[in-house]
Amino acid sequence: MQEAQIKHSNNWTIFTMVSFGVAAIMMALGIYNLEASFSAKGFYTMASIMLVHTAVTLTKTLRDRDESEKFHNRLEDAKTEKLLMDISKPDQD
């Protein structure tokens, strides 16, 4: 039994990339136009970069864990199916 692979359409992929780009530009412009010292702008810039980095890392980690669980479940299902097939075979003595 093979599970269906979820594939995103090209339009969805482009939409998410454009959305990320727009959000990044808006954040950069907001920090640039902020009436604060250069060090405060630097702090906000580093914090926003770190936030994006950790969001990507968290998303990848959760997806990898989910994929690992799916693989483990498929492996257990295959073992169970093989065991049931071996048990249901008539003895050929």
Side-chain angles (χ1 to χ4, degrees), residues 8-24:
H8 297 296
S9 68
N10 286 337
N11 289 338
W12 177 253
T13 304
I14 291 169
F15 172 76
T16 56
M17 288 180 186
V18 169
S19 295
F20 176 80
V22 169

Side-chain angles (χ1 to χ4, degrees), residues 4 7 10-11 21-22 24 28 30-32 38 41 45 50-51 54 63 71 74 76-77 80 84 86-87 89-91:
K7 297 205 178 214
N10 286 337
N11 289 338
V22 169
I31 292 172
Y32 179 77
F38 185 71
K41 289 181 180 183
T45 301
M50 186 69 172
L51 182 61
T54 56
R63 186 191 67 217
F71 177 74
R74 280 187 277 160
E76 288 298 317
D77 289 345
T80 303
L84 290 173
D86 289 345
I87 290 172
K89 283 183 186 176
D91 290 333

Side-chain angles (χ1 to χ4, degrees), residues 32-87:
Y32 179 77
N33 291 319
L34 186 66
E35 292 183 17
S37 66
F38 185 71
S39 60
K41 289 181 180 183
F43 172 78
Y44 289 131
T45 301
M46 288 188 301
S48 63
I49 290 170
M50 186 69 172
L51 182 61
V52 169
H53 175 273
T54 56
V56 169
T57 304
L58 177 62
T59 302
K60 182 179 180 340
T61 301
L62 293 176
R63 186 191 67 217
D64 289 350
R65 185 178 68 183
D66 185 55
E67 290 293 320
S68 175
E69 288 174 3
K70 285 180 184 176
F71 177 74
H72 178 73
N73 289 339
R74 280 187 277 160
L75 187 60
E76 288 298 317
D77 289 345
K79 286 179 182 179
T80 303
E81 188 175 324
K82 182 179 182 326
L83 181 62
L84 290 173
M85 287 176 67
D86 289 345
I87 290 172

